[in-house]
Amino acid sequence: MQTVKMVITGPFSSGKTEFIRAISEIDVVTTDREISSVAEREEKEQTTVAMDFGRITVDDDLVLYLFGTPGQRRFDFMWEILAEGMLGFIVMVDSAKPETFREAKSILETFRAYAPTPYVVAANKQDHPDAWQPDDMRIALRIEPEVKLLPCVAKERDSVRDVLLELLYTILEEME
Amino acid sequence: MPLQGNLRDFTATQLLNLMNLSRRTGTLFIHEGVPTGEKDAMDKEKMAPGEERARVVFKDGKLVQATLAGQKGDLVAVLGKAGKLNDQQARIIRERAKGASDKALAMRLIGANYVTQKDIVVSIQQYTLDTVYELMSWREGPFRFDESAQPDKARILVPIDLENVIVEGARRIENDEILRDSIPNLDMALKFPENPKEKFKGIHLSVEAWRVVSYVNPKNTIRQIAKANNMSELEIRRVVYGLQQAGLVDIVKPLTEEKPGAPTGGKTGKGGKTGKPRQPGPSKDVVTRLIDRIKSI
Ligand SMILES: Nc1nc2c(ncn2[C@@H]2O[C@H](COP(=O)(O)OP(=O)(O)OP(=O)(O)O)[C@@H](O)[C@H]2O)c(=O)[nH]1
Ligand SMILES: [Mg+2]
């Protein structure tokens, strides 16, 4: 049986776990822990410590694994391990938190340096009233025109599916 | 369509770049930051917008007006600042003008041979530029862009191309922290973006900037360019920052000619781009099957 892997990365609380949860056929195996620091707790209760893990079965001999990286920098020793052998990756960005854009770009560059695999950027939380428009985020994050920057709402399965599909199309194009 | 944030996360230069590239029309408001006692997503003190510090008006991606809080910014103030009117003249004209629009006032001043039309255009332009150059050095402050806020109708608008402002503003940055943050590594190289001709059209570069531009080539590091031009680190950072923010050059890894037999790994030896050869990935068939499966979800 063949397995392929895609990695979902991005800053703290950008929606990586939510993204995998929306589309995985198994309950996402997350190694989320309760958050310790006060500042982070205001944001949400759980953060991913080691990784998230989701699965989509294609048929008897092909399975797609989705790995979510921990968002907090202090766990970044996990990133390179997770990046090993990935087919492509998605950088999740919280569109309503412009203070995280710089960090998102830095994570993107780090992953790009691990492997020359295709990737897309997901402008997540587009349902949020403070969300920046994807076009503005492209300029602010300095994403080249040939890289896809896609609007996303990780809470909605259709939206997650579209982002995954776009990444797969990109992978296919690069093979041609 | 909110476009809001804090200057500490963007810098005014980046914002001007955004206004330029997205051809925005509307007003950018910059405020004093008032601590809220809460933390933002990067664990920094969250700032609420306090008193207004400045407003900058754009039309179709061009700069048309900029005023600092507390400044009048009307024609009389502009001409006063430019030294075209002394205080007394300014006071008298203001008294007589009583509510006339700047346009009407300009006609009268030109008619009375106080100033020429060119004086007016140049003074307004300079006033706007001085204001923008000042706020380009600000490192903090909540901002908000409002598309519905239109320029003051009573004012004379002199549109200014932002590319020039960005390059020139960067050249004036005194605070080299901004520059160091943006260009931490002088061993990177420069390359032109796609369609550079298009981008350089109508740009007025300083002699210094042209010197740098003449060396743009992925094989030359920024440090080498500085050396060739006898520029200090601060000077080269200023020029490169301006060119980069205006979208005239991109910062890239330098192209090194690899010697045969030399090791190719990066400094850390961790593999990465030049390290491990790319593993033979899955076949096209696998990707097509994945696509069909995901489509069915
Ligand atoms: N409104 C909205 N909220 C979202 C969306 N995606 C995620 N969230 C919320 O944002 C918060 C963070 O989402 P997570 O999926 O835990 O983020 P993460 O990237 O896994 O976070 P870490 O593992 O801590 O780095 C949660 O409260 C989610 O419910 C979205 O598209 N829209
Ligand atoms: Mg998580």
Side-chain angles (χ1 to χ4, degrees), chain A residues 13-18 21 30 32 44 46-49 51-52 68-71:
Chain A
S13 196
S14 55
K16 303 173 290 288
T17 301
E18 196 77 44
R21 199 174 277 152
T30 72
D32 278 5
K44 56 190 190 123
Q46 305 263 307
T47 189
T48 303
V49 176
M51 60 173 183
D52 299 310
T69 64

Side-chain angles (χ1 to χ4, degrees), chain B residues 16-71:
Chain B
L16 294 182
N17 192 31
L18 178 58
M19 297 296 141
N20 178 32
L21 295 178
S22 58
R23 299 279 172 255
R24 278 299 214 287
T25 298
T27 305
L28 179 70
F29 295 89
I30 304 174
H31 295 262
E32 298 284 351
V34 181
T36 58
E38 288 171 39
K39 291 283 169 80
D40 75 2
M42 296 309 290
D43 221 9
K44 285 195 251 161
E45 174 93 41
K46 197 185 251 174
M47 294 290 184
E51 269 181 40
E52 186 182 312
R53 272 180 97 187
R55 58 176 71 186
V56 188
V57 189
F58 302 88
K59 191 154 189 294
D60 302 325
K62 289 196 197 311
L63 175 61
V64 293
Q65 216 174 65
T67 347
L68 298 177
Q71 287 186 343

Side-chain angles (χ1 to χ4, degrees), chain A residues 90-141:
Chain A
I90 297 170
V91 183
M92 302 288 291
V93 189
D94 185 337
S95 310
K97 294 252 158 64
E99 66 267 29
T100 65
F101 291 177
R102 212 177 263 160
E103 169 76 355
K105 184 64 191 285
S106 146
I107 295 174
L108 188 162
E109 293 299 343
T110 307
F111 269 79
R112 225 158 73 144
Y114 291 147
T117 47
Y119 64 94
V120 297
V121 181
N124 193 34
K125 308 197 191 179
Q126 281 293 314
D127 59 327
H128 196 288
D130 288 342
W132 279 45
Q133 287 175 292
D135 283 349
D136 292 335
M137 291 172 68
R138 177 183 290 282
I139 299 171
L141 287 155

